[in-house]
Amino acid sequence: MSSLKLAFIGGGTMAEALIKGLTTKNVYLPDEILVSDPLSARREFLTAEYGVAATAGNKECLAAETILLAVKPAQLHDVLEEVGGRWPPDSLGISIVAGARLGSFRRHFPAGEPPLVRTMPNTCCTIGWGITAVACNDKADDGHRARAHRIFESVGDVVDLPENYFDAVTGLSGSGPAYVTLIIESLIDAGVQQGLPRRVAKDLVCQTVAGAALLVKQSGKHPAELKDQVVTPAGTTAAGLQVLEEAAVRATFCLAVKAATVRSRELGQEVAPR
Ligand SMILES: NC(=O)c1ccc[n+]([C@@H]2O[C@H](COP(=O)([O-])OP(=O)(O)OC[C@H]3O[C@@H](n4cnc5c(N)ncnc54)[C@H](OP(=O)(O)O)[C@@H]3O)[C@@H](O)[C@H]2O)c1
């Protein structure tokens, strides 16, 4: 192995998405990456598929310049108890663990808190279309932030945000793919109810949702302006939109994002150190 640049503690879905993005885009070479995971079948798969080294020992990850914590929230405490005491003070720690606040890591590093970056990616990272929010502790400098950006830009867009926005980010873009797939499923069923074959309805809906998102992003126009452009007086779209407004779809989305944000705040208390 050449010098170890990046180690993942936890080799699950998100770690794999990042390994794929990073090696495909040559941000890191496969032999600069180490993954730690308890399951031997998982380690063998990651090595065979991406050429990265894999280990069952989390402490081996501490030899890397950057150590990325990619375990589930319930596993974080035990992992930090295991590695925190030996963490090299200059090694950058990046967490993707939902709800884990930067302040909650502090007590796990008796030799002093290292530079840390908290992130909130979403599941679209698995196809390179994710969005990741990034917040740093006061030990992290511009170079550490830039390193985190390079890592997450391999799987989508990156936005710097103060940490106090992270519960709202979790409720919006973290949970967002589930909201949008619910909309897609509903529209496909609606098309089928109107007589379209399911496969055709699926193609029509997916391309319409993806196209509408790109239209908003690329045109720079307000979504309401783009909507108004396709609403002919007394026309078909006006009839459809009236039903959605009467069903309070807009207000319902606000309530959904609020509920997810509140839940993220509650879960953050549970991930806090015991
Ligand atoms: N998936 C998403 O869309 C998404 C979005 C934003 C944030 N996140 C965050 O990303 C983190 C990882 O999510 P994920 O979906 O990748 O989960 P995952 O697929 O369950 O990956 C976690 C991996 O860590 C392994 N693991 C368990 N205990 C460990 C230990 N003590 N040391 C080392 N590895 C251990 C697990 O192995 P076993 O399966 O054998 O237990 C599993 O392979 C979570 O904290 C989640 O909140 C995920």
Side-chain angles (χ1 to χ4, degrees):
M1 179 180 286
S2 65
S3 70
L4 185 57
K5 295 274 175 59
L6 176 64
F8 290 86
I9 299 187
T13 308
M14 288 305 284
E16 182 179 352
L18 284 161
I19 290 166
K20 186 176 175 186
L22 290 164
T23 53
T24 307
K25 300 206 169 152
N26 290 319
V27 180
Y28 292 112
L29 298 171
D31 67 359
E32 294 173 327
I33 298 175
L34 173 68
V35 191
S36 162
D37 196 275
L39 207 65
S40 63
R42 188 69 188 155
R43 296 195 300 272
E44 283 160 22
F45 167 79
L46 292 170
T47 298
E49 191 71 18
Y50 302 102
V52 297
T55 175
N58 290 339
K59 291 195 182 88
E60 283 181 48
C61 294
L62 298 175
E65 269 176 13
T66 304
I67 303 149
L68 200 149
L69 298 161
V71 293
K72 290 280 190 201
Q75 298 151 349
L76 181 65
H77 177 87
D78 289 349
V79 166
L80 287 174
E81 285 290 289
E82 185 186 353
V83 298
R86 296 179 183 212
W87 194 288
D90 294 334
S91 296
L92 173 63
I94 300 180
S95 166
I96 62 169
V97 180
R101 297 189 185 127
L102 286 167
S104 71
F105 288 84
R106 203 162 291 136
R107 74 176 193 90
H108 290 283
F109 301 106
E113 197 182 15
L116 291 173
V117 177
R118 177 182 175 187
T119 68
M120 185 63 206
N122 69 10
T123 190
C124 302
C125 289
T126 55
I127 56 154
W129 274 86
I131 177 113
T132 303
V134 165
C136 299
N137 73 351
D138 56 12
K139 299 284 193 305
D141 59 24
D142 288 348
H144 296 119
R145 188 185 291 276
R147 205 188 300 172
H149 271 243
R150 273 198 308 279
I151 290 171
F152 289 93
E153 279 164 4
S154 75
V155 289
D157 288 353
V158 176
V159 57
D160 287 306
L161 286 175
E163 194 182 14
N164 61 355
Y165 285 148
F166 267 52
D167 291 316
V169 169
T170 305
L172 189 61
S173 60
S175 305
Y179 308 150
V180 178
T181 46
L182 178 74
I183 293 168
I184 290 172
E185 184 193 4
S186 308
L187 287 173
I188 292 171
D189 283 347
V192 171
Q193 284 165 17
Q194 297 311 310
L196 291 168
R198 186 164 289 277
R199 183 182 47 76
V200 174
K202 184 179 171 193
D203 287 347
L204 291 170
V205 171
C206 288
Q207 190 64 8
T208 302
V209 171
L214 282 179
L215 190 59
V216 173
K217 211 174 162 184
Q218 290 179 5
S219 70
K221 291 182 178 168
H222 192 286
E225 189 183 343
L226 292 166
K227 182 192 65 171
D228 288 353
Q229 282 172 4
V230 293
V231 181
T232 311
T236 56
T237 310
L241 284 172
Q242 185 180 350
V243 174
L244 292 175
E245 296 290 9
E246 283 171 4
V249 167
R250 198 185 284 264
T252 305
F253 275 117
C254 292
L255 289 174
V257 173
K258 183 178 176 187
T261 304
V262 168
R263 187 70 192 121
S264 170
R265 205 167 291 137
E266 289 168 1
L267 290 172
Q269 304 291 340
E270 292 168 24
V271 181
R274 283 170 255 157

